[in-house]
């Protein structure tokens, strides 16, 4: 028998069978992979494609999670554990295989088993399509929290939507972004288990009617116009080095069986199918982070669908355990990941009152005891509001309840202030009367939650004093800060094998679960041998990225140049155009004086623009256009390289963070709630050039001002400058270099002679500059100069790099989840089997 044949011994031998599914020796893993290839895929090794092998391996890994998953569920059930439910419209999990191998601690054995089969683990890892069920930071944060909750052995369920199409794939054609549908389910998804029996029928539309029940109580009956069925799909989420496997439960929409009854019997086959398609549309696509989504009925329906399925599921589990609904809030702590799931407040209220006949004031007490709300943005245009007419059309009963809650709430306000302060009432009301009436979801989230948090110290402070000021005046004790964090498993241990190994050799491997331990790397900052090894490890990561960029962009990079990276969604407030203007000014400098001494730099950009965000798309085009010219210019001779890596996502992020020397965190102060990319770069040894915005402030505090390149206005200076009447033309008048950079962008040089291609961008900067790009330009340029000088001293740069990694402890999502668990959710660890 050849090494690549299924091994008969493993099949059908009862006590051996167990081992094949669960064991983790190289030999067992090899047999298990072959077994799954044959029995799950129906393939022989001789004809198996890399994707077949990937699937066989994925099932092999999943097998090793399943018994732990069941043990975890039993532990939670036995201990009646209080459970955190993370409600989120987005979970940007990233590929599962790599992180599961790390968390199960079977990476090396799997690699050996595959090698025995003549296969390469890295090649198989590349086969996994990315489950891109999120737009950016908010969705990725939810994924990092799921990782940490499992690692910390905390009882938790993530609830969301199983979108058939996640975030679009970005292609770059002639420098422009083109959106392509993401078909992540095309080859099946080995990480999920469909639960066809676990379904809920979710009502929509229709009307309500009052009636008196058999006890003489006034009640309301909602007669919906249509019903959509939610089906559960479960993905196990493995903790690192523990037996805990938590549950991510995503809902897919389908038509209920009876969908076609009437239409079908009447012979209207197409009508019946139409209805089915309409139902399935509900979980069809993730909304890309577009400007102004009010009016998108389907999105409102998605939100309701998700939270209704989730709450019905929680109620089901709770009642099954023999408990009554009056203790619902003692069993569940539900976190609202921004306002997208905030309808849960009204839905739980409705389910308790209408369906379970809980008395109204008790029901409201349960609701307020259940929910807590995380705000992720200060941008006023991103605060969700729904036209009342749309809201009432989709959710007539919820609109009634909204008015009731609002009335009670505003009375509470009047009593508190003993005055009829119409201005205050108008600002706090759940309804905005401004032309047409709008439902304010952030206000609903504040009123229905016991705790409200921002995601970095500055952000929480700005919530308290600006966006949510009136709520803070009313309930100061509800507010708290929990600064974001990121998973060290995915973003250091998995993403950066070279640095992880070096760190492990120096201080052991416990840092993977206790990131504060990295602090002891500080003892090596003057150890020349260690610093050399550090540089070598980082160079490996740079080579890997250079290879990827060669393949994707066709551009050759110099791995010894300074890799300067800005990867994140493209948005004016994040100021990719500030970076670009600086690049153009460096280009001008080199053209004016080709002999000028400048450290070789590679500028790496990545990020998607919302499909309808014209200016963001123009910024992408401008970056690509500038890249095209600079990379071809013989005068530059490779001293500047510019690349825009298409389709920034979790998979290629794992290549970029470890390879960056400099992390660009240059948003206008007061705009970026936290940022999490800033933490991922820092964790991998990049130095940061950044403003006093979001978590940058805390990063700088942690690492020390001498290890951080700070520039620009702070949030209060931004306010003052606006107040004084900011005029970008005045800045331009005093800055020749800046003017020349803008003029070059206008000249047509970067547009094959087409003047005016970028004029929307440049005119906006010249005449409005809403994000103060020009105001911060000189400070940015100066700091970048300091970066260049620092780079010339490799020993100093490397010391700073080590200092950054040594101080990332507090940016682990483990720390963030601990804080939520203690201060917000009041949950504790429940180790499996204990
Ligand atoms: C992000 N928000 C913040 N929203 O911008 C970032 O500062 C923060 O670090 C992160 O949340 C985590 O707290 C964000 O990603 C979205 O993507 C929304 C999704 C739904 C549509 C509107 C944008």
């Amino acid at each position: 028998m050849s090494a690549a044949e299924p091994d008969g011994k493993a099949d059908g031998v009862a006590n051996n069978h167990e081992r094949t599914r669960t064991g983790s020796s190289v030999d067992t893993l090899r047999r298990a992979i072959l077994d799954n290839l044959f029995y799950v895929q129906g393939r022989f090794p001789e004809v198996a494609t890399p994707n077949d092998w990937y699937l066989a391996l994925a099932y092999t890994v999943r097998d090793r999670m399943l018994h732990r998953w069941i043990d975890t569920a039993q532990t939670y059930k036995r201990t009646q554990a209080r459970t955190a439910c993370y409600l989120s419209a987005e979970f940007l999990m990233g590929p599962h295989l790599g992180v599961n191998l790390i968390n199960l601690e079977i990476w090396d054995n799997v690699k050996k088993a595959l090698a025995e089969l003549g296969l390469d683990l890295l090649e198989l890892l590349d086969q996994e399509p990315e489950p891109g069920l999120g737009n950016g930071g908010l969705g990725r944060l939810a994924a990092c929290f799921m990782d940490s909750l499992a690692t910390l052995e905390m009882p938790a369920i993530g609830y969301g939507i199983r979108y058939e199409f996640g975030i679009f794939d970005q292609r770059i054609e002639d420098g422009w972004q083109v959106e392509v549908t993401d078909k992540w389910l095309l080859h099946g998804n080995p990480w999920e288990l469909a639960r066809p029996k676990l379904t809920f029928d979710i009502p929509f539309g229709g009307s309500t009617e009052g009636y008196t029940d058999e006890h003489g109580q006034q009640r309301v009956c909602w007669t919906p116009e249509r019903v959509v069925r939610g089906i559960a799909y479960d993905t196990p989420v493995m903790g690192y080095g523990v037996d805990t496997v938590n549950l991510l439960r995503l809902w897919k929409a389908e038509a209920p069986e009876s969908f076609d009854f009437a239409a079908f019997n009447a012979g209207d086959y197409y009508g019946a199918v139409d209805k089915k398609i309409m139902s399935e549309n509900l979980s069809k696509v993730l909304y890309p982070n577009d400007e102004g989504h009010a009016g998108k009925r389907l999105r409102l329906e998605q939100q309701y669908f998700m939270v209704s399925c989730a709450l019905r599921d929680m109620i089901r589990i709770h009642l099954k355990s023999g408990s009554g609904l009056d203790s619902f809030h003692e069993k569940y702590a539900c976190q609202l990941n921004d306002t997208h799931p905030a309808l849960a407040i009204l839905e739980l209220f409705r389910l308790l009152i209408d369906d379970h006949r809980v008395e109204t004031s008790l029901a409201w007490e349960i609701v307020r005891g259940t929910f807590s709300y995380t705000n992720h943005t200060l941008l006023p245009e991103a605060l969700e509001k729904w036209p009342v007419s749309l809201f009432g059309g989709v959710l007539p009963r919820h609109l009634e309840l909204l008015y009731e809650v609002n009335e009670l709430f505003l009375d509470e306000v009047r009593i508190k202030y003993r005055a009829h302060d119409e201005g205050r009432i108008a600002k706090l009301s759940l309804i905005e009367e401004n032309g047409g009436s709008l439902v304010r979801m952030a206000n609903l989230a504040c009123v229905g939650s016991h705790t409200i948090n921002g995601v970095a110290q500055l952000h929480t402070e700005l919530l308290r004093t600006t966006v949510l000021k009136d709520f803070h005046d009313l309930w100061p004790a509800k507010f708290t800060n929990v600064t974001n964090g990121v998973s060290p498993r995915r973003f250091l241990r998995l993403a950066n094998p070279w640095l992880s190994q070096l760190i492990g050799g120096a201080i052991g491997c416990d840092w993977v679960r206790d990131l504060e331990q990295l602090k002891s790397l500080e003892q090596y900052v003057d150890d020349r041998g260690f610093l050399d090894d550090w540089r070598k490890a980082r160079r490996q990561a740079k080579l890997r990225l250079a290879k990827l960029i060669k393949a994707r962009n066709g551009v050759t990079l110099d791995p010894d140049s300074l890799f300067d990276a800005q990867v994140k969604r493209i948005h004016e407030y994040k100021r990719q155009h500030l970076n670009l203007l600086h690049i153009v000014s460096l280009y001008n400098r080199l053209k004016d004086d080709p002999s000028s001494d400048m450290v070789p730099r590679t500028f790496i950009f990545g990020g998607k623009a919302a499909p309808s965000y014209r200016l963001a798309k123009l910024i992408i085009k401008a970056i690509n256009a500038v890249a095209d010219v600079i990379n071809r210019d013989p005068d530059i001779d490779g001293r500047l390289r510019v690349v825009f890596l298409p389709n920034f996502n979790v998979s290629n992020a794992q290549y970029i963070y470890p390879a960056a020397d400099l992390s660009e965190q240059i948003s206008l102060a007061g705009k970026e709630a936290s940022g999490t990319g800033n933490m991922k770069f820092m964790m991998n040894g990049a130095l940061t050039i950044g403003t006093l915005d979001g978590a940058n402030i805390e990063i700088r505090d942690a690492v020390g001002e001498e290890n951080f390149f700070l520039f620009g206005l702070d949030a209060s200076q931004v306010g003052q400058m606006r107040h004084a009447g900011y005029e970008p033309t005045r800045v331009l008048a005093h800055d020749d270099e800046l003017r020349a950079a803008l003029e070059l962008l206008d000249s047509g040089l970067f547009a094959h002679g087409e003047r005016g291609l970028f004029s929307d961008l440049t005119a906006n900067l010249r005449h409005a500059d809403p994000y103060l790009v020009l105001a911060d330009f000189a400070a940015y340029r100066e700091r970048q100069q300091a970066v260049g000088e620092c780079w010339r001293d490799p020993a100093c740069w490397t010391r700073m790099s080590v200092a950054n990694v040594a101080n990332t402890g507090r940016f682990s999502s483990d720390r963030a989840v601990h804080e939520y668990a203690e201060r917000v959710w009041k949950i504790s660890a429940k180790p499996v089997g204990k």
Side-chain angles (χ1 to χ4, degrees):
M1 190 181 76
S2 86
E5 273 172 27
D7 177 347
K9 272 188 292 182
D11 176 36
V13 181
N15 49 5
N16 228 351
H17 189 75
E18 175 75 355
R19 260 194 32 230
T20 308
R21 293 278 193 195
T22 58
S24 46
S25 69
V26 175
D27 195 44
T28 305
L29 285 165
R30 182 182 47 75
R31 275 190 287 119
I33 294 165
L34 286 170
D35 224 36
N36 279 325
L37 182 73
F38 187 78
Y39 290 105
V40 182
Q41 297 294 107
R43 291 288 211 172
F44 287 115
E46 289 73 18
V47 296
T49 63
N51 191 57
D52 293 327
W53 285 112
Y54 155 69
L55 288 170
L57 173 57
Y59 285 115
T60 303
V61 173
R62 195 183 78 179
D63 286 344
R64 274 133 195 89
M65 293 158 72
L66 287 181
H67 59 102
R68 292 181 166 92
W69 197 9
I70 289 166
D71 291 349
T72 306
Q74 276 169 352
T75 299
Y76 294 164
K77 196 168 161 198
R78 185 168 38 76
T79 57
Q80 302 252 328
R82 179 166 164 82
T83 303
C85 294
Y86 204 79
L87 304 190
S88 179
E90 306 190 359
F91 284 91
L92 188 44
M93 298 298 282
H96 294 281
L97 177 56
V99 90
N100 283 334
L101 292 175
I102 298 279
N103 287 359
L104 280 163
E105 299 177 292
I106 57 171
W107 180 286
D108 289 340
N109 283 1
V110 163
K111 197 173 152 109
K112 285 183 199 145
L114 289 171
E116 287 181 10
L117 295 167
L119 298 162
D120 175 23
L121 172 57
L122 296 183
E123 198 186 315
L124 297 197
L125 285 165
D126 273 349
Q127 293 296 315
E128 181 170 352
E130 169 144 345
L133 308 189
N135 271 289
L138 171 150
R140 182 56 231 176
L141 186 76
C144 284
F145 284 2
M146 290 304 293
D147 171 314
S148 287
L149 281 160
T151 298
L152 297 173
E153 305 177 292
M154 304 253 183
I157 306 175
Y159 281 111
I161 301 176
R162 181 180 176 276
Y163 301 104
E164 188 177 333
F165 300 107
I167 184 72
F168 62 86
D169 281 333
Q170 177 194 56
R171 294 220 183 116
I172 300 296
E173 289 178 12
D174 187 29
W176 295 97
Q177 166 175 302
V178 175
E179 300 92 28
V180 183
T181 48
D182 141 68
K183 302 187 188 66
W184 72 290
L185 290 171
L186 194 67
H187 300 293
N189 174 9
W191 302 105
E192 70 185 6
L193 286 108
R195 304 283 189 210
K197 291 256 162 63
L198 182 48
T199 65
F200 295 103
D201 286 351
I202 309 301
F204 288 92
S207 56
T208 64
E209 215 179 333
Y211 71 99
T212 310
D213 73 10
E214 62 277 18
H215 306 293
Q217 279 281 326
Q218 271 306 110
R219 304 207 165 271
V220 176
C221 169
W222 174 15
T223 310
E225 179 205 3
R226 68 192 174 98
V227 167
V228 175
R229 179 160 297 174
I231 300 180
Y233 281 73
D234 290 350
T235 303
V237 181
M238 179 79 219
Y240 171 75
V242 291
D243 284 328
T244 299
V245 177
N246 278 340
L247 169 63
L248 173 63
R249 179 160 282 170
L250 304 180
W251 301 95
K252 174 180 195 274
E254 278 190 9
E257 279 142 41
S258 57
F259 79 95
D260 55 354
F261 238 52
F264 201 73
N265 287 345
D268 182 8
Y269 178 73
Y270 290 101
V273 175
D274 271 359
K275 264 199 174 162
K276 180 171 160 63
I277 290 172
M278 258 174 62
S279 303
E280 287 175 359
N281 272 345
L282 240 159
S283 58
K284 192 64 78 182
V285 61
L286 165 77
Y287 273 95
N289 183 353
D290 264 341
E291 307 285 275
H293 36 238
K296 299 224 168 100
R297 185 192 182 97
L298 193 62
R299 191 174 160 85
L300 180 67
E301 291 176 349
Q302 284 185 337
Q303 295 184 351
Y304 175 61
F305 169 74
M306 163 183 94
V307 300
S308 185
C309 286
L311 286 167
R312 288 165 198 259
D313 195 39
M314 289 176 227
I315 290 175
R316 175 189 66 85
I317 298 170
H318 192 58
L319 294 179
K320 212 169 78 183
S321 79
S323 311
L325 285 179
D326 48 352
S327 63
F328 182 87
H329 56 306
E330 287 156 20
K331 166 77 185 175
Y332 292 112
C334 292
Q335 191 66 32
L336 304 173
N337 198 22
D338 217 287
T339 56
H340 322 128
L343 283 170
I345 290 167
L346 297 174
E347 175 65 353
L348 179 59
F349 196 36
R350 186 193 71 80
L351 287 166
L352 291 173
I353 297 174
D354 291 356
D355 291 11
H356 296 275
R357 300 193 168 186
V358 176
E359 185 268 320
T360 306
S361 63
L362 176 61
W364 187 242
E365 201 184 305
I366 294 169
V367 169
R368 271 195 174 169
T370 299
F371 294 103
S372 41
Y373 157 53
T374 305
N375 171 292
H376 295 266
T377 184
L378 294 157
L379 301 185
E381 66 270 25
L383 291 179
E384 282 197 300
K385 290 172 191 171
W386 296 105
V388 165
S389 54
L390 171 67
F391 194 99
V394 177
L395 302 168
R397 177 62 182 138
H398 297 77
L399 186 60
E400 290 174 0
L401 290 172
L402 182 87
Y403 281 125
E404 271 181 43
V405 169
N406 201 28
E407 210 174 287
L408 289 171
F409 163 58
L410 294 180
D411 275 346
E412 195 181 320
V413 175
R414 288 187 185 99
I415 291 166
K416 160 124 187 162
Y417 293 102
R418 275 178 300 161
H420 193 65
D421 178 348
E422 271 316 310
R424 189 189 295 271
I425 295 284
K427 282 189 279 175
L428 286 167
S429 173
L430 304 184
I431 309 282
E432 180 173 304
E433 301 291 355
N434 212 346
S437 316
L438 298 170
V439 179
R440 291 168 167 155
M441 298 304 277
N443 294 33
L444 173 63
C446 288
V447 170
S449 297
H450 54 79
T451 305
I452 301 164
N453 78 284
V455 290
Q457 282 163 15
L458 174 70
H459 173 232
T460 301
E461 199 42 42
L462 292 170
L463 286 179
R464 288 183 174 123
T465 52
T466 63
V467 180
L468 301 178
K469 178 180 186 309
D470 298 295
F471 285 100
H472 184 255
D473 288 350
L474 189 61
W475 297 311
K478 270 198 193 188
F479 284 72
T480 188
N481 174 250
V482 185
T483 297
N484 284 166
V486 302
S487 162
R489 269 75 60 187
R490 183 175 288 274
F491 290 105
L492 182 50
R493 180 64 187 77
L494 171 65
N496 200 340
W498 305 284
L499 209 58
S500 296
Q501 208 186 348
L502 177 61
I503 295 170
I507 64 167
C509 291
D510 285 354
W511 60 270
V512 180
R513 79 171 84 254
D514 176 13
L515 205 64
E516 292 285 356
Q517 294 205 10
L518 291 180
K519 190 79 184 165
S520 56
L521 285 174
E522 279 185 339
Q523 63 190 290
Y524 295 100
V525 291
D526 292 315
D527 178 332
R528 286 189 51 176
F530 186 80
L531 296 183
D532 277 348
D533 290 345
W534 190 268
R535 260 192 304 276
K536 283 186 199 137
R538 292 191 38 77
R539 196 168 188 281
Q540 293 295 318
K542 293 174 79 171
L543 285 169
R544 182 180 62 174
L545 179 64
K547 201 166 148 205
L548 179 77
I549 286 177
K550 180 75 189 171
R552 300 274 163 90
N553 295 57
V555 178
T556 307
L557 302 189
D558 168 8
D560 297 313
S561 65
L562 192 169
F563 278 19
D564 176 334
Q566 188 173 18
V567 290
K568 49 183 79 241
R569 290 298 287 242
I570 311 292
H571 202 292
E572 288 165 274
Y573 85 77
K574 296 179 188 276
R575 303 199 295 190
Q576 282 90 355
H577 45 344
L578 173 58
N579 189 345
L580 186 67
L581 277 175
H582 175 245
I583 294 170
V584 174
S585 76
L586 292 179
Y587 177 61
N588 266 335
R589 240 188 262 173
L590 282 177
K591 290 297 275 186
D592 290 345
D593 176 8
S595 67
S596 73
D597 188 20
M598 195 179 281
V599 300
R601 281 214 207 201
T602 300
F603 294 92
I604 298 155
F605 290 89
K608 295 176 185 177
S612 66
Y613 189 173
R614 277 189 38 252
L615 219 49
K617 290 176 130 177
L618 190 58
I619 291 174
I620 293 178
K621 170 68 181 171
I623 294 170
N624 281 308
V626 168
D628 258 4
V629 169
I630 293 185
N631 295 347
R632 274 188 294 131
D633 190 332
D635 289 345
I636 299 305
D637 195 23
R639 281 177 294 174
L640 298 179
R641 281 263 184 273
V642 184
V643 287
F644 186 96
L645 181 67
N647 204 36
F648 179 60
N649 58 11
V650 179
S651 315
N652 55 45
Q654 290 173 198
Y655 283 57
I656 298 169
Y657 297 122
D661 297 301
L662 187 68
S663 153
E664 298 268 354
Q665 305 302 333
I666 60 177
S667 52
L668 176 63
K671 294 292 178 193
E672 188 70 88
S674 160
T676 44
N678 44 6
M679 302 168 186
K680 296 165 196 166
F681 278 115
M682 176 201 195
M683 200 173 270
N684 281 279
L687 311 191
T688 305
I689 183 165
T691 48
L692 285 177
D693 200 15
N696 296 352
I697 298 176
E698 290 155 72
I699 287 178
R700 180 166 168 268
D701 284 349
V703 75
E705 58 183 57
E706 68 284 9
N707 292 314
F708 186 105
F709 296 99
L710 176 71
F711 77 97
L713 301 165
D714 67 22
S716 80
Q717 290 167 329
V718 167
Q720 286 160 16
M721 183 164 278
R722 285 242 172 79
H723 189 71
Y726 169 58
E727 286 177 37
T729 43
R730 297 242 293 268
V731 179
L732 269 181
H734 294 105
D735 194 327
D736 298 342
E737 230 183 21
L738 178 54
R739 232 177 20 252
L742 278 171
E743 278 161 14
L744 199 64
L745 271 174
D746 280 334
S747 70
L749 170 71
F750 302 118
H752 309 288
E754 182 189 340
R755 297 178 71 92
L757 179 62
F758 301 119
S759 61
D760 282 355
L761 188 60
T762 52
N764 179 281
L765 288 174
R766 284 196 169 92
H767 305 298
D769 193 13
Y771 299 98
L772 307 197
V773 171
L774 305 192
D776 268 346
F777 182 80
Y780 179 60
R781 174 179 51 201
E782 204 178 293
R783 265 343 241 159
Q784 282 286 18
Q785 186 74 33
V787 167
E789 271 143 36
C790 185
W791 179 255
R792 290 180 201 276
D793 180 350
C796 176
W797 185 281
T798 311
R799 267 200 301 278
M800 290 167 76
S801 170
V802 176
N804 266 269
V805 176
N807 288 290
T808 40
R810 76 167 84 154
F811 303 107
S812 166
S813 43
D814 298 348
R815 187 271 312 145
V817 160
H818 254 303
E819 290 183 16
Y820 279 103
E822 268 185 19
R823 300 211 307 266
V824 184
W825 304 329
K826 318 268 194 255
I827 61 166
S828 53
K830 289 281 176 282
V832 171
K834 290 191 190 126

